[in-house]
Amino acid sequence: MLVLTRATGETIVIGDDIQITFLGMSEKKATEAKIGISAPRHVSVHRLEIYERIQKEKANGSGLDDPSTKG
């Protein structure tokens, strides 16, 4: 795992077309960071728990792959 320190407004680039921008810290919890992710439409972006649920449901045969569940 690569660990980076970024200041508010600074961006990390993955490959040629994915950008992750550090937006700041949560006003509610000092341990939560706010990030923005910019990726092409064909790249799925999910929180890990959502990704794991999708994989589990695919394995169970439901075939859930609804882009509106991105999170």
Side-chain angles (χ1 to χ4, degrees):
M1 174 186 299
L2 174 63
V3 178
L4 301 171
T5 302
R6 299 278 73 200
T8 300
E10 292 183 333
T11 300
I12 297 164
V13 177
I14 300 174
D16 292 329
D17 51 8
I18 299 173
Q19 296 182 0
I20 301 173
T21 302
F22 177 67
L23 302 175
M25 298 302 293
S26 171
E27 294 176 12
K28 295 179 182 178
K29 292 185 180 181
T31 58
E32 293 181 354
K34 293 183 180 181
I35 61 171
I37 302 170
S38 175
R41 287 195 176 272
H42 71 275
V43 175
S44 296
V45 178
H46 301 285
R47 297 186 319 263
L48 179 59
E49 61 273 19
I50 300 297
Y51 174 80
E52 288 172 343
R53 187 183 84 207
I54 291 168
Q55 296 306 309
K56 182 179 178 181
E57 291 181 9
K58 281 183 181 179
N60 291 335
S62 71
L64 176 65
D65 192 20
D66 182 355
S68 67
T69 63
K70 286 187 179 183

